[in-house]
Amino acid sequence: MKDYDKIVSTARAGADKYFEKQMDALKKFSAIDCGSGNVEGNRKVVEIIKPLLEDLGAQVEEIAVPDLGTHLVAKLGPESKSGKGKIILNAHMDTVFEEGFTAAHPYHEEGDWAYGLGIADCKCGIMIAIYSVKIMQEAGLLPDRQIEFIFNCDEEIGTASGSKVYEREAPGADYAFVFEQAETKDGQIGFVTARRGVILGSMDVKGKEAHAGAAYLEGHSAIHELAYKILEYYDFNDFDRQIYYNVAPISGGRPNGVVAGDAHADFCVAGIPFNSDFPEIEANLRSLENHVTVPGTSVKVQYHTLFPSMESGPQNTKAFDLLKKPAELVGMGDIHQLSVHCATDGAYFSSLGVPTVDALSADARDIHTTVERVNMPSIRERTAFFAIVLGCMDDE
């Protein structure tokens, strides 16, 4: 029988003990420009995280990707040869901010809030994942499983490279825990077991240039055709299912005295609820190539899945159920399974058949903006909470 009082007291004491170390690291992270593809910035982030993983005794692998950065995979345990399997703890190291943004928007604190670019999305999650393991490791209360940390460097651009790492590591995983920011619904605490998928793409239209006055009728305007295509594209919007088609930005042509010979538009399809919906949406996109309204033009559509859907159901409920007892022990009350629109890497693990639960990090506001901030007391709370999750895990 588990000594729950010991688990809870150990977790809370450890969260208090390591809070300042977590905050020191977050200050350092907030001074690093590490947007997706910033290899130098990513290297600086790796050099902060890697020693923390090695201090746990984890075997750390660096997976370098040219012109992108380095993914970290760190494996710890299990404690015995008869370990029950493995769990994956995931967060990402990249941000959406370009070079120079951290200097212009430096770390600072106001009341209970710590401001910093990328501090909530997703460096805080990295710190909670690492230190919750450290707390229970020092107390000898880790589950008898391999714990695998996967911190990737391209989540903000769709995890095209990181997903290959997930495909390699997901087989055999019992659960995946993803440390994106905390979520609530109607003021009630929840954890995410469903997220919607995203497709990104582009439309390129070719026409024929001509003098816009002397030879207007000899031209075939690519911009004119793109205008028709954009209207046709927006007609695909499915407001009942909350699947949204958006175009931005658009470009094309040369000076206004020339009929446009080319035009371009980028697009996004967001809010895709189920992976079975992707073929329907892809058919819509391909249909844009099938006809033109402006004679003499042609249309090429390209697209790719940015994130698959993270689908609700028994698989992810199994992971969510592991959180119920710890939530009761810390007085969270009833917790809820949440379905949210925005996409994260949780979708990849879920799509690979791993029971997955997301939003295990701290309370945050205004991520992806220059006033991104994290609630400092919630860092302690979520570190203690996930430490308790680890301590209770072998109860299942």
Side-chain angles (χ1 to χ4, degrees):
M1 179 68 178
K2 292 278 188 180
D3 185 342
Y4 293 121
D5 288 340
K6 179 181 179 181
I7 291 171
V8 172
S9 62
T10 298
R12 285 179 168 158
D16 289 339
K17 175 183 176 181
Y18 287 115
F19 175 72
E20 290 302 327
K21 289 187 179 295
Q22 290 174 307
M23 293 309 303
D24 286 344
L26 291 176
K27 292 175 187 177
K28 293 176 183 177
F29 287 135
S30 297
I32 299 171
D33 289 310
C34 52
S36 308
N38 187 328
V39 176
E40 181 180 352
N42 169 251
R43 186 72 245 165
K44 293 177 181 178
V45 171
V46 166
E47 292 302 326
I48 295 172
I49 296 172
K50 186 177 178 183
L52 300 177
L53 296 169
E54 291 175 334
D55 185 59
L56 294 173
Q59 295 181 328
V60 183
E61 176 187 7
E62 295 189 21
I63 303 173
V65 183
D67 302 319
L68 182 63
T70 298
H71 307 297
L72 287 177
V73 177
K75 299 178 181 180
L76 177 65
E79 293 295 323
S80 72
K81 292 182 180 179
S82 59
K84 296 180 180 179
K86 73 175 179 180
I87 59 173
I88 292 172
L89 311 187
N90 169 253
H92 63 89
M93 297 181 284
D94 57 326
T95 73
V96 298
F97 300 101
E98 298 175 2
E99 191 75 27
F101 268 62
T102 58
H105 305 280
Y107 175 92
H108 66 282
E109 297 177 9
E110 295 180 13
D112 286 339
W113 296 90
Y115 289 71
L117 305 190
I119 193 169
D121 187 26
C122 194
K123 304 303 193 309
C124 185
I126 294 172
M127 290 297 99
I128 290 173
I130 290 174
Y131 279 98
S132 60
V133 171
K134 184 175 182 64
I135 290 164
M136 302 315 270
Q137 181 188 55
E138 290 178 344
L141 294 173
L142 284 177
D144 190 18
R145 305 168 189 253
Q146 182 182 82
I147 297 175
E148 182 170 341
F149 301 89
I150 307 179
F151 301 142
N152 81 308
C153 66
D154 64 344
E155 191 269 354
E156 296 292 5
I157 54 174
T159 320
S161 172
S163 63
K164 303 298 187 297
V165 178
Y166 301 160
E167 290 169 5
R168 188 191 78 177
E169 298 299 327
D174 301 307
Y175 301 100
F177 299 96
V178 181
F179 288 81
E180 292 283 351
Q181 70 172 28
E183 297 277 356
T184 59
K185 184 176 182 180
D186 300 326
Q188 295 180 315
I189 295 172
F191 296 93
V192 173
T193 55
R195 292 187 181 271
R196 296 196 169 211
V198 180
I199 289 175
L200 296 185
S202 62
M203 290 183 276
D204 285 284
V205 183
K206 296 296 182 183
K208 180 183 177 183
E209 289 191 345
H211 191 287
Y216 183 80
L217 295 178
E218 296 177 16
H220 308 291
S221 175
I223 287 179
H224 191 181
E225 179 60 34
L226 179 60
Y228 281 112
K229 287 301 168 191
I230 290 174
L231 292 173
E232 185 177 346
Y233 174 87
Y234 274 109
D235 282 341
F236 295 140
N237 268 303
D238 190 332
F239 300 117
D240 290 336
R241 290 192 290 166
Q242 298 179 308
I243 301 174
Y244 302 128
Y245 290 71
N246 187 63
V247 173
I250 61 175
S251 60
R254 295 194 299 118
N256 56 14
V258 180
V259 175
D262 62 83
H264 175 88
D266 290 331
F267 62 76
C268 169
V269 187
I272 307 171
F274 303 108
N275 289 310
S276 59
D277 292 321
F278 277 76
E280 172 194 337
I281 292 164
E282 291 170 350
N284 287 342
L285 299 176
R286 288 194 299 269
S287 73
L288 297 170
E289 296 182 335
N290 293 343
H291 63 279
V292 296
T293 303
V294 178
T297 62
S298 62
V299 179
K300 178 67 175 177
V301 177
Q302 296 177 302
Y303 58 88
H304 67 277
T305 297
L306 183 70
F307 286 99
S309 300
M310 178 181 178
E311 299 184 13
S312 61
Q315 172 185 286
N316 292 343
T317 295
K318 181 181 178 183
F320 172 81
D321 286 345
L322 292 180
L323 310 183
K324 289 181 177 179
K325 182 66 176 182
E328 175 188 333
L329 291 172
V330 296
M332 282 187 178
D334 290 336
I335 58 173
H336 303 269
Q337 294 190 64
L338 300 182
S339 174
V340 298
H341 259 71
C342 60
T344 72
D345 282 350
Y348 284 106
F349 294 109
S350 179
S351 296
L352 291 166
V354 181
T356 303
V357 64
D358 196 351
L360 286 156
S361 188
D363 183 21
R365 299 287 187 276
D366 295 320
I367 64 169
H368 289 195
T369 77
T370 56
V371 291
E372 181 172 332
R373 59 199 183 275
V374 64
N375 180 270
M376 290 184 285
S378 74
I379 296 174
R380 275 196 182 97
E381 293 163 5
R382 285 306 180 98
T383 301
F385 173 71
F386 194 72
I388 294 168
V389 172
L390 292 169
C392 294
M393 189 168 294
D394 287 339
D395 281 356
E396 63 172 305

